[in-house]
Amino acid sequence: MTFTAAPALSGDVTVPGDKSISHRSLMLSALAVGESRVEGLLEGEDVLATAAAMRAMGADISRDDDGVWHIHGVGVGGLLQPETALEMGNSGTSTRLLMGLLASHDLTATFTGDASLSKRPMARVTEPLARMGATFTTSPGERLPLTMRGACPAVPLDYRLPVASAQVKSAILLAGLNTPGITRIVEPIPTRDHSERMLKGFGADLKVEVEADGTRIITLVGEAELTPQQIVVPGDPSSAAFPMVAALLVPGSRVTIANVGLNDTRAGLIDLLREMGGDIVIDNPREVGGEPVGDLIVTASALKGVEPDPARAPSMIDEYPVAFIAAALAQGRSVFRGLEELRVKESDRIATMAAGLRAIGVTVEELEDGIIIEGSGGVALAGGGPIATRLDHRIAMSFAVAGLVSRDGVTIDDMRPVETSFPGFVPLLQTLGAMA
Ligand code: S3P
């Protein structure tokens, strides 16, 4: 598919529901006895993989004609032995969180995934979950396919996160739900806190203390009882990132993206783009379902290069690919460092972005832990392709945005992975006036 230079983008849009919150709302609802309702659930392949897994373990999950999801849960500790392997597709979040959830259940489960997921490291979760008593048989390098045997009762864990990962934190918390005693996690660098917020919302006894240096200590009392909830999922800031950057880059654009989640642990891209000179106004800030939300009004702006502090990485970890596109159009050089984690996402996002940017005429230097990008100062990129997206939805969407500010258009080899997180992405860009 080829994306070509767009006239000014304009219009009001909404993006699909938050992927992280959608996964968690299905998992926790499946553990509450009674009916939970979820509005605005992301109906992308990743979240549907979580829904299928929860059904396979006994939860009753359906969607009504108004798009509201109804989940009848089985109670903490009540998940059933799945009869077949749990197919995780492309979804690292489904895999790692479910491994945690099942680690304290008396059952055996096999996890399989696509070629991208099968390359991703799982030791970051198998190591702490093994300390809680779960056992694993993995493919070489602690990868999928793998089979785990949960422990019941599991042993509560006191764990300092060695990697800034909300997936690892959440896996341990979910394991702690059905574990006697107190599970304690020390988080030196804050990561997205949707699990903590939602666990509290479902009635779990969870506390978060923040130390003077910003370290967060999370304690969860095990053998929890969860109460069914009515959840409204806000728009995903990680999806809003694509129309947001497109509106900043395409001259003359003005776009409103309504109902976007603005949790501090997720909103780092907005701060970064503003520092680059981006005109982004947050209108009608409010709270929806325990999460801050607002409408973003984005006006095309001349951007300048940046050197963001790596400590901010977790608050925009999924947004770097599209931030690199913004940097490619900025005035001057941008230096991104401290981003080793990008090498183990759906693709190696440093290598994939560096190769793609070069292919469309951008001068870049790939570093072990980041990338240096020479901006064009607003001059259209040459374009070209096809870009190798390597089963990575965010690579595909980032280069689609680049195509809108290119001379010859940018061709993407495979847009199918976009269905994992952002169904309707291409029609949404077309609504705003983009050409594809
Ligand atoms: C996620 C955490 C992040 C993020 C992923 C979703 C989550 O992964 O990249 O897309 O929902 O907890 P890490 O925990 O590997 O940083």
Side-chain angles (χ1 to χ4, degrees), residues 131-147:
R131 291 203 213 175
M132 297 181 81
T135 51
F136 297 89
T137 313
T138 71
S139 299
E142 300 273 312
R143 290 173 215 275
L144 261 48
L146 69 74
T147 298

Side-chain angles (χ1 to χ4, degrees), residues 20 24 93 96 124 164-167 192 317-318 341 345:
S20 293
R24 288 157 171 83
T93 308
R96 294 188 178 126
R124 54 185 59 202
S165 164
Q167 291 178 353
R192 66 191 67 195
I317 193 67
D318 291 336
E341 274 296 299
K345 294 295 179 188

Side-chain angles (χ1 to χ4, degrees), residues 351-382:
T352 318
M353 285 303 300
L357 285 167
R358 279 195 195 107
I360 60 171
V362 182
T363 303
V364 301
E365 183 187 340
E366 183 179 341
L367 310 169
E368 200 44 54
D369 67 340
I371 190 168
I372 300 175
I373 298 171
E374 304 294 342
S376 73
V379 176
L381 307 174

Side-chain angles (χ1 to χ4, degrees), residues 165-173 185 187 191-192 196 218:
S165 164
Q167 291 178 353
V168 177
K169 169 176 66 177
S170 303
I172 297 167
L173 287 174
I185 299 174
E187 187 180 49
T191 64
R192 66 191 67 195
E196 295 92 306
I218 305 155

Side-chain angles (χ1 to χ4, degrees), residues 5-298:
L9 302 177
S10 67
D12 289 10
V13 288
T14 56
V15 294
D18 189 282
K19 182 150 75 76
S20 293
I21 296 175
S22 295
H23 284 297
R24 288 157 171 83
S25 61
L26 288 175
M27 291 182 197
L28 294 188
S29 297
L31 296 180
V33 179
E35 182 182 298
S36 294
R37 288 161 52 95
V38 184
E39 256 176 72
L41 188 88
L42 168 63
E43 294 175 354
E45 288 169 1
D46 280 13
V47 174
L48 298 179
T50 291
M54 299 320 296
R55 276 195 194 109
M57 294 183 291
D60 178 4
I61 303 180
S62 59
R63 175 192 193 275
D64 68 24
D65 293 343
D66 297 329
V68 178
W69 287 68
H70 301 257
I71 300 111
H72 291 262
V74 295
V76 169
L79 293 175
L80 305 175
Q81 170 71 47
E83 280 172 16
T84 54
L86 302 175
E87 306 274 359
M88 301 283 93
N90 190 255
S91 180
T93 308
S94 308
T95 309
R96 294 188 178 126
L97 269 57
L98 285 173
M99 283 168 67
L101 193 51
L102 303 194
S104 54
H105 279 73
D106 183 19
L107 51 78
T108 301
T110 297
F111 293 83
T112 61
D114 71 2
S116 153
L117 184 57
S118 302
K119 286 192 200 128
R120 299 182 66 185
M122 295 297 151
R124 54 185 59 202
V125 278
T126 57
E127 192 265 332
L129 296 176
R131 291 203 213 175
M132 297 181 81
T135 51
F136 297 89
T137 313
T138 71
S139 299
E142 300 273 312
R143 290 173 215 275
L144 261 48
L146 69 74
T147 298
M148 71 175 285
R149 168 101 213 125
C152 194
V155 183
L157 185 65
D158 187 342
Y159 195 67
R160 187 180 172 87
L161 289 173
V163 46
S165 164
Q167 291 178 353
V168 177
K169 169 176 66 177
S170 303
I172 297 167
L173 287 174
L174 291 170
L177 276 179
N178 194 39
T179 301
I182 291 177
T183 295
R184 182 170 177 273
I185 299 174
V186 179
E187 187 180 49
I189 302 168
T191 64
R192 66 191 67 195
D193 63 355
H194 306 300
S195 296
E196 295 92 306
R197 286 173 187 251
M198 202 180 283
L199 279 164
K200 277 193 209 158
F202 272 81
D205 185 352
L206 178 139
K207 291 196 179 60
V208 182
E209 285 165 59
V210 184
E211 299 196 322
D213 67 354
T215 299
R216 289 157 40 96
I217 318 265
I218 305 155
T219 47
L220 171 71
V221 179
E223 300 185 298
E225 264 187 44
L226 303 184
T227 318
Q229 298 298 308
Q230 313 248 342
I231 297 170
V232 181
V233 180
D236 197 327
S238 299
S239 297
F242 301 102
M244 180 161 67
V245 171
L248 287 176
L249 296 183
V250 177
S253 298
R254 186 179 165 88
V255 167
T256 300
I257 313 166
N259 192 38
V260 180
L262 294 173
N263 181 315
D264 281 349
T265 62
R266 297 287 300 284
L269 180 70
I270 295 178
D271 298 336
L272 183 81
L273 292 171
R274 282 176 165 165
E275 282 162 35
M276 294 173 80
D279 180 352
I280 303 169
V281 174
I282 297 176
D283 195 24
N284 190 14
R286 57 201 184 270
E287 190 159 303
V288 174
E291 292 275 349
V293 165
D295 304 329
L296 304 180
I297 303 169
V298 188

